[in-house]
Amino acid sequence: MELLPRLSSRDSALWVKRDDQTSLRYGGNKVRKLERLLSEAKRRGVARIVTIGAVGSHHVLATGVYARPLGIEVEAVLVPQPRTPHVVMNLRADLAQGVKVLPATSFAHAGVRVASRLGRDAYFIPVGGSNRLGALGYVDAARELAAQVRAGQMPEPDLVVVTLGSGGTAAGLAAGLLEEMQTVVLGVTVSDPAWVVEHMGRSLAHACLKHATHREGRAAKVEPRLEWDRRYLGRGYGQATPEGERAMAVAAESGLTLDPTYTAKTFAAALDRVAAGKHKTILYWHTLSSAPFEPLLIDAPEEAAIGPELAKLFR
Ligand SMILES: *Cc1c(COP(=O)(O)O)cnc(C)c1O
Protein backbone atom coordinates (compact mmCIF):
# COMPACT_ATOMS: atom_id res chain seq x y z
CA MET A 1 0.00 0.00 0.00
CA GLU A 2 1.02 3.60 -0.52
CA LEU A 3 -0.33 6.83 0.89
CA LEU A 4 -1.21 9.45 -1.73
CA PRO A 5 -0.45 12.60 0.30
CA ARG A 6 -1.26 15.11 -2.46
CA LEU A 7 -4.71 13.58 -2.94
CA SER A 8 -5.56 13.26 0.75
CA SER A 9 -7.48 15.90 2.70
CA ARG A 10 -7.46 16.88 6.36
CA ASP A 11 -10.44 14.60 7.00
CA SER A 12 -9.69 11.70 4.65
CA ALA A 13 -6.39 10.00 3.85
CA LEU A 14 -6.26 8.28 0.45
CA TRP A 15 -4.20 5.11 0.17
CA VAL A 16 -3.71 2.79 -2.79
CA LYS A 17 -3.31 -0.99 -2.81
CA ARG A 18 -0.92 -1.71 -5.66
CA ASP A 19 -2.47 -4.81 -7.20
CA ASP A 20 -1.17 -3.46 -10.48
CA GLN A 21 2.06 -5.14 -9.27
CA THR A 22 0.74 -8.66 -8.59
CA SER A 23 3.15 -9.93 -11.26
CA LEU A 24 6.00 -8.58 -13.36
CA ARG A 25 4.75 -10.40 -16.47
CA TYR A 26 1.16 -9.25 -16.33
CA GLY A 27 -0.34 -7.88 -13.12
CA GLY A 28 -3.73 -6.60 -11.99
CA ASN A 29 -6.58 -8.35 -10.24
CA LYS A 30 -6.94 -11.31 -12.60
CA VAL A 31 -3.68 -12.77 -11.30
CA ARG A 32 -5.12 -13.45 -7.84
CA LYS A 33 -8.17 -15.18 -9.32
CA LEU A 34 -6.08 -17.26 -11.72
CA GLU A 35 -3.83 -18.37 -8.89
CA ARG A 36 -6.81 -20.39 -7.66
CA LEU A 37 -8.45 -21.17 -11.02
CA LEU A 38 -5.34 -22.45 -12.79
CA SER A 39 -4.38 -24.68 -9.85
CA GLU A 40 -7.80 -26.25 -10.21
CA ALA A 41 -7.41 -26.66 -13.99
CA LYS A 42 -4.03 -28.30 -13.39
CA ARG A 43 -5.42 -30.58 -10.69
CA ARG A 44 -8.09 -31.74 -13.14
CA GLY A 45 -5.43 -32.34 -15.80
CA VAL A 46 -7.42 -30.61 -18.57
CA ALA A 47 -5.96 -29.85 -21.99
CA ARG A 48 -8.06 -26.73 -22.59
CA ILE A 49 -9.60 -23.79 -20.82
CA VAL A 50 -12.76 -22.36 -22.34
CA THR A 51 -13.51 -18.82 -21.28
CA ILE A 52 -15.47 -15.78 -22.31
CA GLY A 53 -15.24 -12.00 -22.27
CA ALA A 54 -15.47 -8.73 -24.14
CA VAL A 55 -12.83 -8.27 -26.85
CA GLY A 56 -10.60 -6.13 -24.60
CA SER A 57 -10.91 -8.50 -21.63
CA HIS A 58 -7.97 -8.40 -19.21
CA HIS A 59 -9.16 -11.74 -17.85
CA VAL A 60 -8.80 -13.43 -21.24
CA LEU A 61 -5.36 -11.93 -21.76
CA ALA A 62 -4.19 -12.93 -18.27
CA THR A 63 -5.48 -16.46 -18.83
CA GLY A 64 -3.54 -16.61 -22.09
CA VAL A 65 -0.37 -15.39 -20.39
CA TYR A 66 -0.51 -17.86 -17.49
CA ALA A 67 -2.20 -21.00 -18.88
CA ARG A 68 0.09 -21.55 -21.86
CA PRO A 69 3.26 -22.20 -19.80
CA LEU A 70 1.26 -24.88 -17.92
CA GLY A 71 0.62 -26.66 -21.22
CA ILE A 72 -3.07 -25.70 -21.24
CA GLU A 73 -4.64 -24.23 -24.40
CA VAL A 74 -6.99 -21.27 -24.09
CA GLU A 75 -10.14 -20.87 -26.17
CA ALA A 76 -11.89 -17.53 -25.66
CA VAL A 77 -15.33 -16.63 -26.91
CA LEU A 78 -15.24 -12.84 -27.33
CA VAL A 79 -18.05 -10.30 -27.76
CA PRO A 80 -17.84 -6.76 -29.20
CA GLN A 81 -17.01 -3.64 -27.17
CA PRO A 82 -16.27 -0.03 -28.14
CA ARG A 83 -12.99 0.31 -29.97
CA THR A 84 -10.11 2.02 -28.13
CA PRO A 85 -6.35 1.63 -28.73
CA HIS A 86 -6.13 -0.32 -25.43
CA VAL A 87 -8.83 -2.79 -26.55
CA VAL A 88 -7.13 -3.36 -29.92
CA MET A 89 -3.81 -3.95 -28.15
CA ASN A 90 -5.38 -6.50 -25.81
CA LEU A 91 -6.78 -8.54 -28.69
CA ARG A 92 -3.41 -8.48 -30.48
CA ALA A 93 -1.75 -9.62 -27.24
CA ASP A 94 -4.32 -12.44 -26.86
CA LEU A 95 -3.38 -13.69 -30.32
CA ALA A 96 0.33 -13.40 -29.50
CA GLN A 97 -0.19 -15.64 -26.43
CA GLY A 98 -1.76 -18.26 -28.70
CA VAL A 99 -5.30 -17.72 -27.45
CA LYS A 100 -7.78 -19.24 -29.89
CA VAL A 101 -10.39 -16.50 -30.39
CA LEU A 102 -13.98 -17.47 -31.24
CA PRO A 103 -15.94 -14.31 -32.10
CA ALA A 104 -19.58 -13.95 -31.03
CA THR A 105 -22.08 -11.18 -31.70
CA SER A 106 -23.54 -10.90 -28.15
CA PHE A 107 -23.35 -12.58 -24.75
CA ALA A 108 -26.40 -14.70 -25.73
CA HIS A 109 -24.61 -15.90 -28.85
CA ALA A 110 -21.44 -16.39 -26.77
CA GLY A 111 -23.30 -18.80 -24.49
CA VAL A 112 -24.09 -20.99 -27.47
CA ARG A 113 -20.49 -20.91 -28.71
CA VAL A 114 -19.16 -21.75 -25.23
CA ALA A 115 -21.57 -24.69 -24.91
CA SER A 116 -20.29 -26.10 -28.22
CA ARG A 117 -16.70 -26.05 -26.91
CA LEU A 118 -17.22 -27.68 -23.49
CA GLY A 119 -16.14 -31.27 -22.90
CA ARG A 120 -14.31 -33.63 -20.58
CA ASP A 121 -10.92 -32.23 -21.52
CA ALA A 122 -11.97 -28.61 -20.90
CA TYR A 123 -12.27 -26.40 -17.83
CA PHE A 124 -14.73 -23.52 -18.09
CA ILE A 125 -13.94 -20.13 -16.52
CA PRO A 126 -16.77 -17.55 -16.61
CA VAL A 127 -16.56 -13.82 -17.41
CA GLY A 128 -13.81 -12.06 -15.47
CA GLY A 129 -12.81 -15.30 -13.72
CA SER A 130 -15.70 -14.56 -11.36
CA ASN A 131 -16.96 -17.82 -9.98
CA ARG A 132 -16.62 -18.73 -6.30
CA LEU A 133 -13.12 -20.14 -6.73
CA GLY A 134 -11.88 -17.02 -8.53
CA ALA A 135 -13.45 -14.74 -5.94
CA LEU A 136 -11.70 -16.73 -3.20
CA GLY A 137 -8.50 -15.29 -4.63
CA TYR A 138 -9.77 -12.00 -3.22
CA VAL A 139 -10.57 -13.55 0.13
CA ASP A 140 -6.83 -14.35 0.11
CA ALA A 141 -6.16 -10.69 -0.78
CA ALA A 142 -8.34 -9.48 2.11
CA ARG A 143 -6.32 -11.60 4.52
CA GLU A 144 -3.12 -10.18 3.09
CA LEU A 145 -4.41 -6.64 3.69
CA ALA A 146 -5.47 -7.51 7.25
CA ALA A 147 -1.97 -8.87 7.95
CA GLN A 148 -0.42 -5.69 6.55
CA VAL A 149 -2.68 -3.56 8.77
CA ARG A 150 -1.76 -5.66 11.81
CA ALA A 151 1.91 -5.20 10.91
CA GLY A 152 1.37 -1.42 11.05
CA GLN A 153 1.89 -0.73 7.34
CA MET A 154 -1.30 1.33 7.19
CA PRO A 155 -4.24 2.15 9.47
CA GLU A 156 -7.35 0.01 9.15
CA PRO A 157 -9.30 1.46 6.16
CA ASP A 158 -12.86 2.61 6.82
CA LEU A 159 -13.66 2.27 3.13
CA VAL A 160 -12.17 0.18 0.32
CA VAL A 161 -13.07 1.52 -3.15
CA VAL A 162 -12.79 -1.10 -5.89
CA THR A 163 -14.17 -1.67 -9.39
CA LEU A 164 -17.26 -3.82 -9.81
CA GLY A 165 -16.92 -5.37 -13.25
CA SER A 166 -18.04 -8.98 -12.95
CA GLY A 167 -18.13 -8.94 -9.15
CA GLY A 168 -15.47 -11.41 -8.00
CA THR A 169 -12.99 -8.86 -6.71
CA ALA A 170 -15.42 -6.80 -4.60
CA ALA A 171 -17.19 -9.97 -3.40
CA GLY A 172 -14.03 -11.72 -2.23
CA LEU A 173 -12.76 -8.57 -0.52
CA ALA A 174 -16.04 -7.96 1.32
CA ALA A 175 -16.28 -11.59 2.46
CA GLY A 176 -12.63 -11.73 3.51
CA LEU A 177 -12.58 -8.38 5.30
CA LEU A 178 -15.79 -9.15 7.20
CA GLU A 179 -13.91 -11.57 9.41
CA GLU A 180 -10.93 -9.31 9.93
CA MET A 181 -11.91 -5.62 10.17
CA GLN A 182 -14.76 -3.10 10.25
CA THR A 183 -14.09 -1.97 6.68
CA VAL A 184 -16.92 -1.32 4.20
CA VAL A 185 -16.25 -2.29 0.56
CA LEU A 186 -17.64 0.07 -2.09
CA GLY A 187 -17.97 -1.54 -5.52
CA VAL A 188 -18.05 1.07 -8.28
CA THR A 189 -20.25 -0.40 -11.01
CA VAL A 190 -18.63 -0.17 -14.46
CA SER A 191 -20.58 -2.81 -16.41
CA ASP A 192 -24.19 -3.21 -17.36
CA PRO A 193 -26.93 -3.98 -16.73
CA ALA A 194 -25.86 -2.62 -13.34
CA TRP A 195 -28.40 -4.64 -11.38
CA VAL A 196 -27.10 -7.89 -12.90
CA VAL A 197 -23.48 -7.32 -11.90
CA GLU A 198 -24.51 -6.04 -8.49
CA HIS A 199 -26.56 -9.20 -8.00
CA MET A 200 -23.55 -11.28 -9.10
CA GLY A 201 -21.33 -9.44 -6.62
CA ARG A 202 -23.72 -10.06 -3.76
CA SER A 203 -24.27 -13.75 -4.48
CA LEU A 204 -20.51 -14.34 -4.95
CA ALA A 205 -19.88 -12.67 -1.59
CA HIS A 206 -22.40 -15.03 0.01
CA ALA A 207 -20.76 -18.01 -1.67
CA CYS A 208 -17.30 -16.96 -0.42
CA LEU A 209 -18.59 -16.38 3.08
CA LYS A 210 -20.32 -19.72 3.21
CA HIS A 211 -17.09 -21.37 2.12
CA ALA A 212 -14.92 -19.40 4.55
CA THR A 213 -17.18 -19.88 7.60
CA HIS A 214 -18.12 -23.44 6.72
CA ARG A 215 -16.34 -25.01 9.64
CA GLU A 216 -17.51 -22.53 12.24
CA GLY A 217 -21.02 -23.12 10.94
CA ARG A 218 -22.24 -19.57 11.40
CA ALA A 219 -23.68 -17.26 8.84
CA ALA A 220 -22.35 -13.71 9.08
CA LYS A 221 -24.13 -10.95 7.16
CA VAL A 222 -22.19 -9.36 4.33
CA GLU A 223 -24.89 -6.83 3.26
CA PRO A 224 -23.95 -3.92 5.53
CA ARG A 225 -20.32 -4.25 4.46
CA LEU A 226 -20.77 -4.30 0.67
CA GLU A 227 -22.13 -1.25 -1.14
CA TRP A 228 -22.49 -0.22 -4.77
CA ASP A 229 -22.33 3.06 -6.62
CA ARG A 230 -23.54 3.10 -10.22
CA ARG A 231 -23.32 6.84 -10.74
CA TYR A 232 -19.93 6.54 -12.48
CA LEU A 233 -21.03 4.09 -15.21
CA GLY A 234 -21.92 6.80 -17.76
CA ARG A 235 -23.27 5.45 -21.05
CA GLY A 236 -22.20 1.92 -20.22
CA TYR A 237 -19.40 -0.64 -20.13
CA GLY A 238 -16.29 0.53 -21.96
CA GLN A 239 -17.68 4.06 -22.55
CA ALA A 240 -15.36 6.73 -21.17
CA THR A 241 -16.83 9.44 -18.92
CA PRO A 242 -15.67 13.03 -18.25
CA GLU A 243 -15.29 12.27 -14.50
CA GLY A 244 -13.16 9.26 -15.39
CA GLU A 245 -10.97 11.30 -17.71
CA ARG A 246 -10.43 13.91 -15.00
CA ALA A 247 -9.54 11.17 -12.52
CA MET A 248 -7.02 9.72 -15.00
CA ALA A 249 -5.24 13.07 -15.24
CA VAL A 250 -5.18 13.49 -11.46
CA ALA A 251 -3.90 9.94 -10.90
CA ALA A 252 -1.15 10.43 -13.49
CA GLU A 253 0.27 13.30 -11.39
CA SER A 254 0.64 10.82 -8.52
CA GLY A 255 2.26 8.21 -10.75
CA LEU A 256 -0.76 5.94 -11.30
CA THR A 257 -1.84 4.93 -14.80
CA LEU A 258 -5.57 4.26 -15.13
CA ASP A 259 -7.75 2.88 -17.94
CA PRO A 260 -11.08 4.42 -19.03
CA THR A 261 -13.18 1.23 -18.69
CA TYR A 262 -12.47 0.17 -15.10
CA THR A 263 -10.05 2.10 -12.95
CA ALA A 264 -10.73 5.70 -14.09
CA LYS A 265 -14.39 5.47 -13.03
CA THR A 266 -13.42 3.84 -9.75
CA PHE A 267 -10.73 6.38 -8.95
CA ALA A 268 -13.22 9.19 -9.69
CA ALA A 269 -15.47 7.68 -7.01
CA ALA A 270 -12.54 7.43 -4.57
CA LEU A 271 -11.64 11.12 -5.12
CA ASP A 272 -15.26 12.13 -4.48
CA ARG A 273 -15.28 10.16 -1.22
CA VAL A 274 -12.13 11.96 -0.11
CA ALA A 275 -13.78 15.31 -0.94
CA ALA A 276 -16.86 14.28 1.07
CA GLY A 277 -14.55 13.71 4.06
CA LYS A 278 -16.78 11.18 5.84
CA HIS A 279 -14.17 8.40 6.01
CA LYS A 280 -10.87 8.85 7.82
CA THR A 281 -8.96 6.24 5.81
CA ILE A 282 -9.91 5.35 2.24
CA LEU A 283 -8.13 2.61 0.31
CA TYR A 284 -8.41 2.63 -3.47
CA TRP A 285 -7.71 -0.90 -4.74
CA HIS A 286 -5.77 -0.58 -8.02
CA THR A 287 -6.68 -3.49 -10.30
CA LEU A 288 -4.98 -2.62 -13.62
CA SER A 289 -1.67 -4.25 -14.60
CA SER A 290 1.29 -1.88 -14.73
CA ALA A 291 3.71 -4.46 -16.16
CA PRO A 292 5.34 -3.36 -19.44
CA PHE A 293 3.08 -4.32 -22.33
CA GLU A 294 5.61 -4.60 -25.16
CA PRO A 295 6.75 -8.14 -24.26
CA LEU A 296 3.15 -9.32 -24.65
CA LEU A 297 3.09 -7.97 -28.22
CA ILE A 298 6.11 -9.93 -29.43
CA ASP A 299 4.67 -12.18 -32.18
CA ALA A 300 1.41 -10.16 -32.22
CA PRO A 301 -0.22 -9.63 -35.62
CA GLU A 302 -0.59 -6.03 -36.78
CA GLU A 303 -4.14 -4.73 -36.52
CA ALA A 304 -4.56 -4.85 -40.31
CA ALA A 305 -3.72 -8.57 -40.23
CA ILE A 306 -6.28 -9.75 -37.67
CA GLY A 307 -8.92 -10.42 -40.32
CA PRO A 308 -12.48 -9.21 -40.95
CA GLU A 309 -14.17 -11.71 -38.59
CA LEU A 310 -12.24 -10.48 -35.55
CA ALA A 311 -12.34 -6.85 -36.67
CA LYS A 312 -16.13 -7.00 -36.21
CA LEU A 313 -15.47 -7.25 -32.47
CA PHE A 314 -14.64 -3.53 -32.39
CA ARG A 315 -17.86 -1.55 -32.18
C1 LIG B 1 -11.55 -7.28 -14.58
C2 LIG B 1 -11.15 -5.97 -14.05
C3 LIG B 1 -11.84 -5.37 -13.00
C4 LIG B 1 -13.12 -5.92 -12.45
O1 LIG B 1 -12.98 -6.96 -11.54
P1 LIG B 1 -14.21 -7.93 -11.31
O2 LIG B 1 -13.72 -8.93 -10.37
O3 LIG B 1 -14.55 -8.50 -12.66
O4 LIG B 1 -15.36 -7.14 -10.79
C5 LIG B 1 -11.35 -4.18 -12.49
N1 LIG B 1 -10.27 -3.59 -13.01
C6 LIG B 1 -9.58 -4.12 -14.03
C7 LIG B 1 -8.41 -3.40 -14.56
C8 LIG B 1 -9.99 -5.34 -14.59
O5 LIG B 1 -9.32 -5.86 -15.61
Side-chain angles (χ1 to χ4, degrees), residues 6-25:
R6 290 165 62 194
L7 299 179
S8 299
S9 70
R10 220 186 47 198
D11 297 320
S12 296
L14 181 61
W15 290 73
V16 54
K17 175 74 171 166
R18 299 292 305 264
D19 262 10
D20 56 308
Q21 300 176 347
T22 46
S23 166
L24 293 173
R25 275 181 68 207

Side-chain angles (χ1 to χ4, degrees), residues 29-305:
N29 63 338
K30 303 310 182 300
V31 173
R32 292 192 192 264
K33 298 175 179 190
L34 287 170
E35 209 173 353
R36 294 265 193 161
L37 293 165
L38 292 180
S39 324
E40 177 62 15
K42 232 171 82 176
R43 195 187 64 78
R44 295 188 186 189
V46 296
R48 297 181 293 133
I49 282 172
V50 177
T51 192
I52 179 170
V55 59
S57 168
H58 296 136
H59 156 69
V60 168
L61 177 53
T63 307
V65 168
Y66 293 111
R68 257 303 181 79
L70 302 175
I72 303 175
E73 295 293 326
V74 178
E75 299 179 354
V77 177
L78 298 183
V79 302
Q81 89 177 71
R83 175 205 182 87
T84 67
H86 183 76
V87 165
V88 174
M89 221 165 63
N90 280 357
L91 177 63
R92 293 176 56 220
D94 288 343
L95 297 169
Q97 311 314 307
V99 172
K100 185 173 168 197
V101 174
L102 309 164
T105 52
S106 66
F107 271 106
H109 180 211
V112 178
R113 293 218 77 175
V114 164
S116 75
R117 297 305 307 157
L118 299 179
R120 275 179 184 282
D121 65 331
Y123 179 60
F124 173 65
I125 302 180
V127 174
S130 284
N131 56 15
R132 187 188 70 174
L133 192 59
L136 284 173
Y138 267 87
V139 172
D140 301 336
R143 293 186 177 137
E144 176 185 297
L145 173 66
Q148 288 172 314
V149 167
R150 279 196 299 274
Q153 294 178 34
M154 77 169 283
E156 176 173 321
D158 304 294
L159 188 71
V160 164
V161 182
V162 68
T163 308
L164 181 77
S166 60
T169 305
L173 283 178
L177 291 177
L178 189 67
E179 301 283 292
E180 305 271 1
M181 310 195 281
Q182 298 305 312
T183 310
V184 169
V185 173
L186 174 68
V188 180
T189 309
V190 302
S191 33
D192 42 26
W195 69 271
V196 172
V197 285
E198 289 163 6
H199 177 78
M200 270 174 70
R202 195 171 303 113
S203 53
L204 279 169
H206 285 157
C208 287
L209 212 57
K210 229 163 143 180
H211 177 88
T213 56
H214 187 62
R215 271 181 231 109
E216 293 96 272
R218 62 196 168 81
K221 273 232 156 62
V222 78
E223 271 75 16
R225 304 279 289 276
L226 183 55
E227 295 177 358
W228 320 121
D229 194 338
R230 36 171 107 162
R231 288 175 298 175
Y232 296 87
L233 176 60
R235 282 187 297 140
Y237 177 77
Q239 307 270 6
T241 60
E243 305 81 51
E245 269 161 21
R246 262 197 308 277
M248 270 172 109
V250 169
E253 287 167 19
S254 288
L256 286 180
T257 304
L258 309 182
D259 75 293
T261 300
Y262 298 101
T263 51
K265 292 175 180 178
T266 308
F267 200 67
L271 293 174
D272 286 347
R273 300 295 150 137
V274 171
K278 287 191 198 133
H279 300 91
K280 195 155 174 277
T281 307
I282 298 176
L283 178 63
Y284 159 70
W285 204 291
H286 191 32
T287 48
L288 177 74
S289 174
S290 60
F293 208 84
E294 298 75 53
L296 301 178
L297 290 174
I298 297 172
D299 302 329
E302 287 306 320
E303 190 190 345

